[in-house]
């Protein structure tokens, strides 16, 4: 196992992880690639992780807006 720091992501390349069929389906549906493709191509991996981070930040913003509406 080795860890690579790319931009501000830490990429753990531990190949001992087992993936379920549902995980494979989710990767295919959400990112149009297999887990094997994700693991073997650093640029595709970065695309996925940047998209995930963007979606996470957007969801945090929505939660903050809803929370502020509830506590008026």
């Amino acid at each position: 196992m080795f860890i690579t720091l790319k931009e501000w992501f830490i990429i753990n390349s531990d190949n001992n992880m087992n993936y379920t069929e549902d995980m494979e389906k989710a990767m295919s549906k959400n990112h149009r690639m297999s887990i094997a493709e994700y693991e073997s191509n650093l640029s595709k991996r970065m695309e996925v992780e940047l998209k995930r981070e963007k979606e996470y930040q957007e969801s945090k913003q929505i939660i903050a807006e809803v929370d502020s509406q509830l506590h008026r």
Side-chain angles (χ1 to χ4, degrees), residues 24-35:
E24 185 71 42
K25 286 179 185 177
M27 178 64 83
S28 178
K29 180 182 176 186
N30 291 314
H31 305 292
R32 293 175 175 76
M33 71 180 76
S34 68
I35 291 175

Side-chain angles (χ1 to χ4, degrees), residues 1-4 10-17:
M1 172 174 68
F2 64 92
I3 298 176
T4 304
I10 296 176
I11 299 172
N12 181 353
S13 57
D14 183 1
N15 294 329
N16 297 327
M17 187 164 178

Side-chain angles (χ1 to χ4, degrees), residues 40-63:
S40 67
N41 188 321
L42 183 58
S43 64
K44 287 186 178 186
R45 200 170 188 171
M46 291 302 299
E47 283 178 33
V48 169
E49 296 308 323
L50 287 169
K51 180 180 174 187
R52 286 179 175 163
E53 179 65 22
K54 181 181 176 199
E55 290 171 350
Y56 170 70
Q57 294 300 330
E58 289 171 352
S59 68
K60 278 181 37 177
Q61 182 179 356
I62 291 168
I63 290 168

